[in-house]
Amino acid sequence: MTEDLVPSLGRWRLWEQFALRGPGFPADGVLRLAPPGLAEAADTFDVDAPLDGVRWEDFARLFADAAVETAHTLQDIARMPSFREAVAWQNRPVLVSGIAPFLRWTPGVDKRSSMPRQREELVAHYWQRFCVKNDTIGFFGPVGWGRWDAATSGVALGTGSGLVAESTVYWASWGIDALARTLDADPGLREWVAPRRVPFVTVDGDRVRVPGRRPVTVPAETAAVLALCDGVRPARAIAAALPDHDVPAVLTDLVARRWVAWRLEVPAGTHPDRDLRTWLETVGAPGPRRRGLAALDRLEQGRAAVAAARDVDALVGALTDLERDFTELTDTAAVREKSASTAPCRALVYHDSRRSATARLGPEVLEALRPLRLLMDSAGWLTSRLAAALRTGMRPVYERLASEGTVDLAAFWFACLPVLHGTVRATAGELQEEFAAIWRRILAVPAGARRVDVRSADIEAAVREEFPGSGGWTAARYLSPDIMIAADGAEAVARGDFTLVLGELHLAANTLGASLFTHQHPDVGELVRLTDRDHPGPRLLPLLPKEHRARLSTRVRHTLIRPRDYQVALTDFTADPTRPRAVRSADAVVEEHGDDLVVRLPDGARFPVTDVFSHVLTTLSMDLFRLLPEDDHTPRVTLDRLVVARETWRLPAAEADFTDDKDEARRFVRARRWRARLGLPRYVFVVSPAESRPFYVDFDSPVYVTILAKALRRLSRQDQQGLVTFTEMLPTPEQTWLRDDEGRRYTSELRFVAFDTGTG
């Protein structure tokens, strides 16, 4: 029996629910790649010891034997069905090009040529991600859930049965969009597609206005057709309503003017296939409807086969068949090339899973978390200052437009873009520097310190004085902190033998509202009820593109949107056009309300104009929280029992003197000397501008040292001044409390949601 604890940290109320994030492979998996005793033997060669002679030859033989043993271990890993299945989801061609030949190879001291070593590194690189990265994707990063519980001492863990309780395969939106484009080319379906006026085109009788251009007077026939382009009426219905007009010709002209979109569009959502099916079933022409449904059914059968696959060979076969069918139906490549303009979902389908394990946290953990309120209060200062910069920049824009008449939101939005991407963006950079400088002064970090321990009571007054204000825009009332528990098991937490570690503090966003979380919750209605408590009334939310680069895709799209909430389309209409509270920007008005600017919607509802810019503001603020300046070295900082900054080094890649050594044994010894000279810990995470993701390095593991050396070489070739960031791994693989029903231990982090009750 649990007793809900409604936790709060000062003015910040935490949701009773939190997400439990962790990989799908045990943490000690990476330790298998650190040969016992090898690091100690390497360290017997102190900085002045020559790397030659009899003693060196003995070590070289020991190293060579350990390398062969590690190769066998990596082959054992690569043979694991679960490992190969995870790789199949990540990058299926690697199974053929890298994993299969690696498994056919027989390791030996004299057989470790360049290509087998590259394949060792390939397996090791995937392995570190699957074992120690708290990513959320598929069965190798399943989402778990937990709640605060007043009756729990420390942390109580329910392991459940197996690793995953439930797993679902979803369509990437771009794949269904490609099918929609193909269906759109069917002349029999064309008249059933509903044209829609683009959101920023304003229509007033026979006058049409586009932001930044002079109004245009159009013929009565054009105005009549344009007035009916609401995204709901099919073209044939418009033609029936205007029998004396050449509707197809007018629509063609409106599309050419870019005032109207007349194409089959699938609303943004987690289940685009369902939305497309719903539309197809409205088509009154039997033949075209059957053709469209048959194409969708064929793809859906392929997705179902992928979901039903129970081993890696079946999965590979099902994915291959699905991609073949997709290409035949759409004449489109089934895998998108990685680029700066595409979101992360490159494959046709992806899967997310719910972890079997659940957790409950008690009052002792909440008490240890209390220093976090100081950081969250200071984060409120960041968002309030950023919003203030926007308000200051918007005021002259509004006054200029208002001098010419009523200000519609579309014109205001476009006119404010130079403010957003100029003044406000520059202010964000200045705020980040000021924020870190203030915190450094508050924390009084001594020069050269490696550990800084501060009592939160000693700095509370200074934080309150230095960081006044809060809020900024509605979404800024949310913060989403990632917290890790460093403890040797749940029992240690219950004894009070634990440390909390702050991972990231996500500003101005409830990240648990993302599709990848909500659709793995056993009762999404509970998350909606928590949202209702935070926002009893409606919110105004900007409609976002379906996807954009690395930070916007189907998986991260916010889904805790209630019927009472309004959505405003600024440049693109990605919602269901039949949704009652979806509004075009051209149909909303910006006006003064007291000292503030507000948006007035067609039904009279008013909202702060900053809410229209919330996505841009959140994007600008999400990386601003940096507690200390980016110096060459910053210490671990602990407030009471909460580590708020892990020890970090920023080092020139070109100055790492071990990276070019061709001999593996010499490179390993020299890397350990380099690490000792700098004071780096055994386990680190590395961020390099030349690598797509952070990666784990264990300096006791030759294969991970080699991966590091290659990364440093790549960066130094690209940029002789390039800096690489090393951050201590905390908790370490040994400090894990999350277990499965077989006792295997996993790294993890807790994703909380905090709501600012002090603003409104």
Side-chain angles (χ1 to χ4, degrees):
M1 184 72 178
T2 65
E3 179 184 348
D4 274 356
L5 172 65
V6 181
S8 63
L9 301 172
R11 72 176 195 252
W12 300 90
R13 180 177 63 221
L14 298 180
W15 275 18
E16 291 87 336
Q17 287 275 298
F18 55 83
L20 172 59
R21 304 180 70 208
F25 290 82
D28 62 3
V30 287
L31 302 183
R32 297 171 61 188
L33 303 183
L38 189 65
E40 292 81 355
D43 292 345
T44 62
F45 296 92
D46 61 36
V47 68
D48 297 320
L51 302 185
D52 55 23
V54 175
R55 196 160 68 91
W56 175 255
E57 291 174 0
D58 290 341
F59 175 78
R61 282 192 293 271
L62 176 67
F63 185 94
D65 291 341
V68 172
E69 187 60 33
T70 297
H72 282 294
T73 300
L74 286 165
Q75 286 186 322
D76 290 342
I77 291 167
R79 287 190 190 96
M80 294 168 54
S82 54
F83 175 84
R84 288 185 290 124
E85 184 178 350
V87 172
W89 278 108
Q90 289 288 285
N91 190 355
R92 193 169 78 256
V94 166
L95 290 175
V96 175
S97 64
I99 305 300
F102 178 59
L103 291 177
R104 291 193 296 269
W105 171 63
T106 301
V109 171
D110 57 348
K111 296 180 180 179
R112 294 185 62 253
S113 58
S114 174
M115 186 55 70
R117 290 202 305 270
Q118 290 180 39
R119 290 167 180 155
E120 291 175 10
E121 295 155 24
L122 174 72
V123 174
H125 198 77
Y126 276 110
W127 189 233
Q128 57 88 27
R129 182 179 182 188
F130 297 157
C131 289
V132 294
K133 301 286 289 297
N134 296 320
D135 287 339
T136 300
I137 183 168
F139 75 90
F140 48 96
V143 178
W145 291 96
R147 64 188 317 116
W148 292 96
D149 175 20
T152 291
S153 177
V155 59
L157 180 64
T159 61
S161 177
L163 177 69
V164 170
E166 187 175 5
S167 188
T168 306
V169 175
Y170 302 90
W171 284 103
S173 60
W174 70 268
I176 296 300
D177 286 343
L179 178 60
R181 286 193 299 272
T182 299
L183 299 180
D184 195 42
D186 185 337
L189 288 173
R190 183 69 170 168
E191 63 176 342
W192 297 91
V193 175
R196 63 168 177 83
R197 171 165 53 95
V198 298
F200 49 83
V201 170
T202 303
V203 181
D204 182 11
D206 62 352
R207 289 169 64 83
V208 178
R209 187 173 66 253
V210 177
R213 300 180 186 174
R214 292 182 180 275
V216 176
T217 301
V218 298
E221 183 180 42
T222 299
V225 174
L226 184 57
L228 296 182
C229 291
D230 57 5
V232 177
R233 292 181 181 86
R236 71 192 316 271
I238 297 176
L242 301 170
D244 298 329
H245 295 53
D246 186 353
V247 171
V250 174
L251 284 175
T252 300
D253 176 62
L254 290 172
V255 170
R257 291 174 179 259
R258 298 186 180 179
W259 293 351
V260 162
W262 186 21
R263 57 180 179 267
L264 178 53
E265 296 176 308
V266 182
T270 306
H271 299 286
D273 52 304
R274 298 177 187 176
D275 291 319
L276 180 57
R277 183 175 299 278
T278 297
W279 179 82
L280 283 167
E281 289 171 349
T282 69
V283 173
R289 182 180 65 246
R290 282 195 299 270
R291 290 195 297 272
L293 288 172
L296 180 58
D297 286 343
R298 182 177 171 188
L299 292 185
E300 267 294 273
Q301 289 165 6
R303 185 199 62 81
V306 171
R310 291 295 174 263
D311 59 63
V312 64
D313 293 332
L315 174 64
V316 169
L319 288 169
T320 302
D321 291 345
L322 174 61
E323 291 177 357
R324 180 201 63 226
D325 290 347
F326 174 81
T327 300
E328 289 178 0
L329 286 169
T330 67
D331 195 27
T332 302
V335 178
R336 294 190 301 179
E337 292 298 320
K338 185 183 295 186
S339 74
S341 61
T342 58
C345 294
R346 296 171 57 217
L348 281 174
V349 292
Y350 65 93
H351 79 309
D352 279 319
S353 303
R354 177 161 55 88
R355 200 177 201 103
S356 294
T358 58
R360 299 194 307 276
L361 297 179
E364 298 87 352
V365 177
L366 179 61
E367 184 60 32
L369 197 57
R370 291 212 176 277
L372 184 62
R373 76 189 190 282
L374 301 180
L375 276 64
M376 295 196 294
D377 287 350
S378 67
W381 174 88
L382 273 172
T383 53
S384 64
R385 292 281 298 272
L386 193 64
L390 176 61
R391 291 191 189 97
T392 300
M394 288 191 303
R395 176 57 72 168
V397 173
Y398 172 77
E399 291 174 352
R400 174 172 57 81
L401 294 176
S403 68
E404 301 172 1
T406 302
V407 181
D408 68 76
L409 178 58
F412 183 74
W413 165 264
F414 279 97
C416 284
L417 289 178
V419 176
L420 280 170
H421 297 292
T423 307
V424 179
R425 184 178 295 275
T427 298
E430 294 165 2
L431 282 174
Q432 185 177 53
E433 293 182 8
E434 183 181 358
F435 181 79
I438 293 173
W439 264 111
R440 180 157 203 157
R441 187 166 64 248
I442 290 173
L443 295 169
V445 177
R450 297 197 60 178
R451 300 287 183 269
V452 176
D453 296 304
V454 179
R455 292 176 65 248
S456 59
D458 294 339
I459 64 170
E460 187 165 359
V463 171
R464 193 162 46 244
E465 179 181 350
E466 295 278 10
F467 296 111
S470 63
W473 62 97
T474 299
R477 299 181 71 181
Y478 280 121
L479 294 173
S480 299
D482 291 333
I483 299 293
M484 294 168 283
I485 302 176
D488 185 16
E491 302 80 5
V493 182
R495 295 193 307 268
D497 185 12
F498 69 93
T499 299
L500 300 184
V501 181
L502 174 66
E504 292 184 80
L505 183 57
H506 305 273
L507 271 60
N510 171 5
T511 56
L512 290 193
S515 175
L516 67 97
F517 290 113
T518 59
H519 285 85
Q520 305 314 313
H521 194 280
D523 179 13
V524 71
E526 184 166 6
L527 303 183
V528 174
R529 289 188 290 274
L530 290 168
T531 304
D532 288 341
R533 183 180 65 185
D534 297 339
H535 302 285
R539 295 171 294 175
L540 178 64
L541 306 169
L543 268 174
L544 304 178
K546 284 190 176 183
E547 57 178 41
H548 181 63
R549 297 187 174 92
R551 286 185 169 169
L552 190 59
S553 69
T554 302
R555 295 184 70 244
V556 301
R557 175 170 294 278
H558 189 76
T559 56
L560 292 179
I561 301 170
R562 307 159 301 170
R564 74 184 73 167
D565 294 324
Y566 292 87
Q567 292 181 287
V568 60
L570 298 165
T571 58
D572 198 10
F573 204 103
T574 54
D576 182 349
T578 65
R579 187 181 190 275
R581 291 192 166 185
V583 180
R584 296 177 183 85
S585 57
D587 299 335
V589 172
V590 179
E591 59 189 18
E592 291 183 293
H593 186 72
D595 295 332
D596 294 327
L597 296 177
V598 299
V599 176
R600 177 166 53 83
L601 303 181
D603 66 359
R606 287 184 173 89
F607 294 92
V609 74
T610 47
D611 285 357
V612 174
F613 298 88
S614 62
H615 179 68
V616 179
L617 288 170
T618 295
T619 301
L620 287 174
S621 65
M622 63 194 313
D623 292 328
L624 292 186
F625 189 90
R626 190 173 66 210
L627 210 55
L628 296 173
E630 287 191 329
D631 293 337
D632 294 344
H633 170 262
T634 52
R636 180 193 299 179
V637 178
T638 306
L639 291 183
D640 302 338
R641 297 178 64 181
L642 172 64
V643 176
V644 297
R646 287 167 285 180
E647 191 173 12
T648 301
W649 296 257
R650 294 169 187 86
L651 305 171
E655 293 182 12
D657 57 8
F658 64 92
T659 61
D660 288 326
D661 204 316
K662 302 296 185 185
D663 183 273
E664 288 182 289
R666 290 172 57 89
R667 183 169 62 228
F668 181 64
V669 171
R670 294 179 65 197
R672 293 190 59 79
R673 288 175 173 177
W674 178 81
R675 168 223 168 202
R677 185 168 68 250
L678 294 168
L680 298 175
R682 173 180 172 180
Y683 309 113
V684 294
F685 281 107
V686 182
V687 175
S688 167
E691 308 302 317
S692 59
R693 294 186 180 91
F695 58 96
Y696 157 93
V697 170
D698 176 358
F699 280 101
D700 282 14
S701 167
V703 67
Y704 285 123
V705 167
T706 296
I707 289 173
L708 171 63
K710 288 189 174 183
L712 294 174
R713 286 204 303 271
R714 272 192 296 273
L715 179 58
S716 61
R717 283 197 297 266
Q718 291 179 15
D719 179 6
Q720 273 292 306
Q721 309 303 315
L723 297 178
V724 176
T725 301
F726 294 79
T727 302
E728 63 171 327
M729 183 183 185
L730 188 70
T732 66
E734 300 92 348
Q735 296 172 313
T736 51
W737 60 273
L738 177 61
R739 301 188 183 192
D740 62 17
D741 56 345
E742 296 184 14
R744 293 172 295 201
R745 293 161 59 148
Y746 300 80
T747 66
S748 63
E749 69 182 22
L750 308 173
R751 171 71 58 86
F752 296 109
V753 174
F755 180 75
D756 188 352
T757 62
T759 60

